[in-house]
Amino acid sequence: MSEYVTHEHDVLIIGAGGAGLRAAVEASAADVRVAVISKSLLGKAHTVMAEGGIAAAMGNVDDRDNWSVHFADTMRGGQYLSDWRMAELHAKEAPERVRELEAWGALFDRTRDGRILQRNFGGHRYPRLAHVGDRTGLEMIRTLQDHGIHLGMDVFMEYTVIQLLKDHDRIAGAFGYDRERGRFHVFRAKAVVLATGGIGRAYKITSNSWEYTGDGHSLAYHAGAALMDMEFVQFHPTGMIWPPSVRGILVTEGVRGEGGVLRNRDGERFMFKDIPPLYANQTANSEDEGWRYTQGDKEARRPPELLTRDHVARCIRREVREGRGSPHGGVFLDIAWIKERIPNAAEHIKKKLPSMYHQFKQLADIDITQEAMEVGPTTHYVMGGVRVNADSQMTDVPGLFAAGECAAGLHGANRLGGNSLSDLLVFGKRAGEYAAAFARENSLGELNPEELESAENGALQPFERQGSENPYAVQHTLQDVMQELVGIVRQEQEMLQALDRIRELKAASERVSVDGNREYNTGWHTALDLFHLLTVSEMITRAALDRRESRGAHFRDDFPTKEERLGGFNIVVRKPSEGEMEFRREPIPPMRADLQQIIKEMK
Ligand SMILES: Cc1cc2nc3c(=O)[nH]c(=O)nc-3n(C[C@H](O)[C@H](O)[C@H](O)COP(=O)(O)OP(=O)(O)OC[C@H]3O[C@@H](n4cnc5c(N)ncnc54)[C@H](O)[C@@H]3O)c2cc1C
């Protein structure tokens, strides 16, 4: 033990995005010793990229909004696979979490009478997203990190956890390295919160930052926790597609919320052609009605561009495949057209969407106040993740909690825009609170020296091998495989092919070698990330093979319809004592009668 730098805390939080920081704030306020670990610098976690806003039924812009409507919207968006208790807690608690953020110093955009302004977003019935222009994540991270530092949390920046440590069944800490020196560290803790974000780097075209290699999903799986819904990967309809160097970078749904429209090569608003029955009553039937909705007309219904992401992404793919795409293989997203409707449109666009304006000007030399953007789908979010108790966020492993994008439950088959930032606040808080309570009731677990030694030996292997595989090459091939064979539209033969390729890539990853020393060795870090990326890629593929229907973000060419009988369960995966991943269909518990009633009334 003495050869490792060892740290001791009551609650260890792995991840310094919105979920991790909100958990840290709550646990610190409960007066326990808290550490937060982050692969990147504090303030640089992926949450900082969030643009459009935080969904919370505050009713500031439309007083018809309340938690019941938000609950029903979330359940409908998730195609009724969401954990209904999580959806209830989320809808009820999000407004308070946003107001609390404001009390801690977050400066939101405001209504004329000084309340927090809320904007329209896909799948939300009323304007619901509290926002700061299109830089909401930055404000959220800044506020939470300032608040957390003042409460006394310890921060370990540029540290990466590579294995969770257990004392028999319960959690005992984590093992990792610091990027700067490459030294190993042992973190002992009574409770651990996973808040590691998503898996987007398993795909070639993604809006996600470099940190999103599915570490938390894989750490939890290998520690014996159950995961669920891994087949549901969200492809956001609007990513940049040109020039190639910026392909995948997100174009916020806020553009459509502010009146932006989608057109094909022929100038047609193709979204009007295909409105799913579940949303027919809530969707505008003319361009004029859609425009009025974006301008706050309470009598109008939302334009079809604001249907759920899964649907919009598939419509774009259809236009491209049927030869009606834009020159670089996407479609056009046009906000400049609003100059036909409002004075000073260019200034208005720059004020409401400052990051989008700069993003296109600097990266693509396009002035979005004058020209349409070219956009196409990009891998954006994973609905699947670690299965948790809805109230406490504890996983199947005692003392191990999960919150944010790495946890599953709230979003079911498809996440609504804005529901992630609110998820981080609501369930980050809960995870911190319950982890602190767990830490108070339990002592530190004992560490197993053999487990530590084996983690260290495994991590150092790439330096010792004489193998010929390059870690970056393996990662790129995996991204191609997932993009081509387990992407936005799936079918059995291709996914079986993907499984074969993943098997080969696993073998290749065991031959990967790296040069140099342990200080800031990005090749070595990539070699270690591969283990997680391959684990989550296999989970996604196997779960997608098992769900023989199309629902939400999961679309099967060979099973293109939604099957009633398949709507009542989650696909759950666990690590068996030996052999291949173990998948089980587990029934969703019956919904409480009062919540059922809400769904019925909101249909
Ligand atoms: C461009 C963009 C815009 C978005 N806009 C919105 C929006 O407007 N509204 C909305 O609701 N959602 C939005 N989302 C989604 C949302 O931003 C994310 O789902 C959310 O920020 C995830 O937060 P998190 O706290 O779970 O994880 P993150 O913010 O990603 O934090 C993960 C943390 O875990 C750390 N970590 C990971 N692995 C390890 C490891 N092995 N060891 C140590 N640390 C580790 C990382 O370093 C990081 O600190 C957007 C996403 C993108 C990409």
Side-chain angles (χ1 to χ4, degrees):
M1 286 286 298
S2 55
E3 67 218 76
Y4 305 112
V5 190
T6 302
H7 314 269
E8 264 186 37
H9 291 87
D10 295 313
V11 175
L12 173 68
I13 294 164
I14 307 174
L21 289 176
R22 187 61 190 82
V25 163
E26 201 62 21
S28 302
D31 225 12
V32 296
R33 290 167 309 152
V34 175
V36 178
I37 310 182
S38 160
K39 262 175 151 175
S40 54
L41 294 170
L42 187 65
K44 296 277 184 191
H46 176 98
T47 298
V48 82
M49 296 163 74
E51 295 164 353
I54 312 170
M58 294 188 286
N60 289 354
V61 171
D62 193 322
D63 57 13
R64 291 172 297 179
D65 203 12
N66 59 53
W67 78 263
S68 308
V69 192
H70 194 181
F71 167 76
D73 286 350
T74 302
M75 292 301 295
R76 187 186 303 106
Q79 304 269 331
Y80 302 104
L81 288 193
S82 304
D83 178 316
W84 48 262
R85 172 69 178 153
M86 279 178 89
E88 178 195 13
L89 291 170
H90 168 253
K92 282 183 171 166
E93 294 176 6
E96 191 45 38
R97 297 286 79 80
V98 172
R99 282 191 282 269
E100 179 178 78
L101 213 54
E102 185 184 43
W104 295 340
L107 294 169
F108 288 97
D109 286 5
R110 319 212 65 91
T111 60
R112 282 181 193 282
D113 61 355
R115 290 181 292 168
I116 293 174
L117 183 60
Q118 300 188 267
R119 67 158 47 120
N120 289 311
F121 239 57
H124 293 282
R125 191 163 194 146
Y126 301 120
R128 190 174 283 150
L129 267 67
H131 59 278
V132 186
D134 54 6
R135 294 175 182 147
T136 312
L138 173 64
E139 189 68 0
M140 181 163 156
I141 283 281
R142 187 191 64 74
T143 306
L144 289 173
Q145 82 188 24
D146 285 1
H147 200 63
I149 295 287
H150 281 99
L151 288 169
M153 66 188 188
D154 289 339
V155 179
F156 296 85
M157 295 189 247
E158 300 204 305
Y159 281 62
T160 301
V161 168
I162 50 177
Q163 189 170 316
L164 294 176
L165 302 172
K166 284 172 73 180
D167 178 356
H168 298 91
D169 283 343
R170 62 160 287 202
I171 202 76
F175 182 77
Y177 64 87
D178 62 89
R179 287 170 76 78
E180 192 179 338
R181 303 281 301 277
R183 281 178 312 192
F184 291 115
H185 294 251
V186 172
F187 293 89
R188 300 186 67 191
K190 297 171 186 167
V192 173
V193 179
L194 287 171
T196 50
I199 58 90
R201 289 282 157 170
Y203 286 82
K204 183 170 156 188
I205 301 173
T206 178
S207 63
N208 289 186
S209 70
W210 64 272
E211 295 166 298
Y212 266 23
T213 47
D215 299 13
H217 293 73
S218 159
L219 291 169
Y221 169 77
H222 290 289
L227 283 88
M228 68 180 198
D229 294 342
M230 289 303 290
E231 67 274 33
F232 296 115
V233 176
Q234 180 169 84
F235 298 89
H236 193 291
T238 58
M240 291 180 82
I241 56 168
W242 194 259
S245 57
V246 300
R247 190 160 190 168
I249 293 181
L250 194 78
V251 182
T252 176
E253 200 162 312
V255 175
R256 285 169 281 145
E258 298 295 340
V261 299
L262 290 166
R263 294 187 204 280
N264 62 21
R265 194 186 61 178
D266 307 325
E268 181 192 19
R269 290 249 328 244
F270 57 87
M271 288 305 303
F272 275 101
K273 287 193 300 201
D274 185 357
I275 295 169
L278 208 54
Y279 286 92
N281 291 339
Q282 300 180 10
T283 308
N285 57 20
S286 71
E287 296 191 8
D288 186 60
E289 184 182 3
W291 165 252
R292 284 190 283 110
Y293 175 91
T294 64
Q295 300 309 295
D297 180 345
K298 291 187 180 170
E299 302 308 314
R301 292 166 299 171
R302 69 176 153 238
E305 277 87 356
L306 289 178
L307 284 163
T308 52
R309 291 172 173 179
D310 54 326
H311 180 72
V312 181
R314 279 194 297 275
C315 288
I316 292 177
R317 185 177 178 275
R318 180 199 60 215
E319 292 303 302
V320 175
R321 281 183 91 108
E322 293 177 6
R324 294 183 296 276
S326 63
H328 300 105
V331 293
F332 295 105
L333 172 61
D334 187 6
I335 181 83
W337 83 277
I338 67 172
K339 59 178 175 268
E340 294 167 21
R341 301 276 184 152
I342 56 172
N344 297 328
E347 287 318 304
H348 177 77
I349 294 167
K350 283 188 205 164
K351 182 164 167 241
K352 294 309 264 180
L353 301 160
S355 300
M356 287 304 104
Y357 175 75
H358 288 292
Q359 185 172 306
F360 274 88
K361 196 82 194 116
Q362 283 163 12
L363 301 179
D365 198 21
I366 297 257
D367 178 351
I368 67 168
T369 68
Q370 305 302 326
E371 303 165 74
M373 302 158 246
E374 261 190 275
V375 295
T378 179
T379 314
H380 186 58
Y381 187 89
V382 61
M383 275 65 76
V386 188
R387 192 170 75 170
V388 290
N389 172 281
D391 287 72
S392 70
Q393 299 290 288
M394 192 152 92
T395 69
D396 293 350
V397 176
L400 180 63
F401 298 76
E405 192 168 340
C406 76
L410 175 60
H411 311 291
N414 181 43
R415 173 177 75 87
L416 298 186
N419 266 1
S420 170
L421 295 188
S422 42
D423 171 2
L424 312 183
L425 293 175
V426 169
F427 295 107
K429 176 195 183 288
R430 283 183 165 268
E433 178 185 338
Y434 283 89
F438 186 94
R440 280 226 202 77
E441 287 160 14
N442 291 275
S443 51
L444 280 173
E446 290 303 316
L447 298 185
N448 175 352
E450 283 169 24
E451 192 181 18
L452 292 174
E453 203 177 323
S454 129
E456 174 177 1
N457 290 341
L460 290 176
Q461 273 191 17
F463 286 110
E464 280 150 25
R465 291 189 198 117
Q466 301 303 314
S468 55
E469 299 286 353
N470 174 314
Y472 297 107
V474 177
Q475 189 188 25
H476 288 156
T477 310
L478 177 67
Q479 289 168 337
D480 283 338
V481 167
M482 293 304 286
Q483 188 75 37
E484 294 306 318
L485 304 175
V486 201
I488 191 164
V489 172
R490 301 161 171 178
Q491 49 154 291
E492 181 162 309
Q493 281 316 312
E494 289 186 353
M495 288 192 283
L496 289 173
Q497 216 180 313
L499 274 186
D500 286 343
R501 300 297 310 279
I502 290 169
R503 221 170 279 131
E504 287 163 22
L505 290 167
K506 263 191 184 165
S509 75
E510 284 160 17
R511 296 191 300 272
V512 151
S513 62
V514 295
D515 293 330
N517 52 35
R518 281 159 58 177
E519 274 98 14
Y520 256 119
N521 188 328
T522 51
W524 180 40
H525 305 155
T526 302
L528 297 179
D529 288 346
L530 281 177
F531 178 70
H532 303 310
L533 280 170
L534 285 158
T535 302
V536 294
S537 298
E538 183 177 346
M539 272 181 206
I540 292 167
T541 310
R542 287 187 185 279
L545 272 163
D546 196 34
R547 189 168 283 282
R548 295 157 81 88
E549 64 161 347
S550 293
R551 180 181 295 271
H554 170 69
F555 188 85
R556 296 265 314 239
D557 236 358
D558 43 358
F559 298 97
T561 52
K562 190 159 65 179
E563 296 290 328
E564 193 71 37
R565 70 194 163 81
L566 299 179
F569 64 83
N570 301 111
I571 295 177
V572 177
V573 53
R574 290 186 186 80
K575 184 174 176 169
S577 47
E578 57 186 67
E580 292 195 329
M581 290 177 174
E582 194 178 277
F583 284 85
R584 238 189 265 163
R585 296 176 179 189
E586 298 197 3
I588 298 171
M591 193 185 292
R592 244 178 32 225
D594 56 319
L595 299 178
Q596 276 186 38
Q597 186 58 28
I598 291 174
I599 302 260
K600 218 162 125 193
E601 282 164 17
M602 305 278 168
K603 274 241 159 94

